[in-house]
Amino acid sequence: MVATTSDVVSQLRRGALEFCVLAMLVPEERYAFDIVRSLGEIDGMVTAEGTLYPLLSRLKKDGRVTTTWRDSDSGPPRKYYAITPAGRQALAEFAAEWHRFRDAVESLLAKGTT
Amino acid sequence: MTVATRNPLVEDYLRALQRATQPLPRHERNELVEQIRAHLDEALPPNASETDVRNALDALGTPTEVARSAGVPATPRRGAREVIGLLLAATGFPPFLGWIVGGVLIATSPLWSARQKLLGMFVGPVAWAGIVTLGVVHSTSADPSCHRTGANSAACHTALLSTSGGAAWLSITIFVVLFAIPFVTAAYLWRAAGRRAGVNALA
């Protein structure tokens, strides 16, 4: 069975998504709904918002993020996610690999589509 | 609790999510359901319209999608294993081999519960044991000439049919029922497998 373009892109997206989430947490800690909504606003990033919650749980399980409950003035307490040193490390490794990969694909595509 | 979580559409969705995440460890399942509930509490204002609720639920993705992303494996559809397994187990053909091979195929399918598998594996042999017993009961209560000439002789066959009218009809009925039971069971198991596969294919 031949993989369709959308299958391939889904795989790429699935692989990159957790690092995109980690990158969002570098400037500051954020709460779950905020992360989900921001990602949802970027075209092409998330198809199903609900799938981000298992991802966040996995990041916590892997020690790449920590969570803290904080009071909020607009309702019930919120769970804030913050990146850990292990998370920063994983992100840096991914970024290096990603840049290499992206540059390679870009240059090959450029030759193939001119 | 805000208005959103008392909404029937939301409750239906969360219940479906509970079902879809059944295979997960309990604390993981509860954590995920609570996260989704909290998400909907934030996403929906207290006076949310039905359209708003439906849009928010669509944006979340189906319970199956969310469960899949949490590591719940996809259940395969009904296939050759189920068809051949049920056919062999119901017909019992080739003799004995059919039950054994059919039984193994049924036992190794992901689409049936343990109880359903036991049913599929043993209904054939048990029904046939019943039929054989019925035959033995008849040959022992038939015309003495039947014993002398052997169970397969014409005397025995006529003896079977000539036992008093009511008993003959009862025997025939029991025979038909016993014969049909494996096939009725196969049909039931086929539909049960379809339901199990369908539950995971739909939302």
Side-chain angles (χ1 to χ4, degrees):
Chain A
M1 205 168 66
V2 179
T4 66
T5 303
S6 80
D7 287 339
V8 171
V9 172
S10 292
Q11 296 268 49
L12 285 173
R13 191 183 291 132
R14 247 197 304 268
L17 199 49
E18 68 172 282
F19 298 100
C20 294
V21 169
L22 286 174
M24 288 171 74
L25 296 175
V26 167
E28 58 177 350
E29 62 172 17
R30 301 173 71 163
Y31 63 96
F33 184 75
D34 176 39
I35 297 171
V36 170
R37 269 297 144 95
S38 302
L39 272 175
E41 277 159 16
I42 304 174
D43 180 40
M45 255 335 269
V46 185
T47 43
E49 290 178 339
T51 61
L52 284 168
Y53 289 95
L55 190 149
L56 286 170
S57 297
R58 235 186 348 266
L59 283 172
K60 181 174 172 192
K61 201 193 228 180
D62 293 343
R64 293 180 175 177
V65 301
T66 51
T67 60
T68 327
W69 287 97
R70 295 198 191 287
D71 286 322
S72 107
D73 4 277
S74 48
R78 285 173 169 156
K79 201 184 215 181
Y80 279 78
Y81 288 80
I83 192 170
T84 64
R88 288 175 200 272
Q89 166 101 3
L91 176 59
E93 284 169 13
F94 172 80
E97 283 302 316
W98 167 258
H99 288 133
R100 259 183 37 176
F101 175 69
R102 180 202 59 190
D103 292 344
V105 172
E106 285 278 304
S107 70
L108 286 167
L109 282 180
K111 289 178 192 147
T113 54
T114 39
Chain B
M1 286 288 149
T2 69
V3 172
T5 61
R6 276 186 262 130
N7 182 295
L9 282 175
V10 170
E11 289 305 319
D12 283 346
Y13 182 93
L14 292 175
R15 257 197 301 273
L17 184 59
Q18 286 262 21
R19 279 199 303 273
T21 51
Q22 242 290 318
L24 293 178
R26 184 180 308 168
H27 75 273
E28 276 187 43
R29 180 175 6 127
N30 290 341
E31 186 186 12
L32 180 55
V33 172
E34 278 320 300
Q35 284 172 319
I36 301 293
R37 186 190 292 274
H39 172 98
L40 289 168
D41 278 347
E42 289 244 32
L44 295 169
N47 58 347
S49 69
E50 183 180 324
T51 315
D52 289 340
V53 174
R54 286 188 187 279
N55 282 333
L57 293 177
D58 281 353
L60 272 180
T62 64
T64 305
E65 274 181 276
V66 176
R68 225 40 96 61
S69 74
V72 175
T75 300
R77 318 299 309 273
R78 286 181 305 193
R81 181 200 304 267
E82 285 73 31
V83 172
I84 296 173
L86 287 177
L87 267 175
L88 290 178
T91 59
F93 185 85
F96 295 114
L97 195 62
W99 285 329
I100 293 172
V101 175
V104 168
L105 289 176
I106 287 174
T108 53
S109 167
L111 294 176
W112 289 304
S113 68
R115 216 172 278 174
Q116 287 168 332
K117 288 178 185 177
L118 285 175
L119 178 66
M121 287 160 66
F122 291 107
V123 68
V126 167
W128 276 103
I131 288 174
V132 165
T133 307
L134 198 64
V136 167
V137 163
H138 261 288
S139 68
T140 53
S141 63
D143 187 333
S145 66
C146 172
H147 285 286
R148 266 178 297 162
T149 52
N152 276 331
S153 70
C156 267
H157 288 146
T158 49
L160 247 170
L161 296 173
S162 68
T163 37
S164 70
W169 278 113
L170 180 66
S171 301
I172 290 172
T173 308
I174 293 176
F175 173 82
V176 168
V177 167
L178 286 175
F179 191 81
I181 280 177
F183 296 96
V184 170
T185 304
Y188 156 72
L189 286 175
W190 177 251
R191 296 197 53 199
R195 273 199 303 276
R196 178 79 64 103
V199 157
N200 285 279
L202 301 173

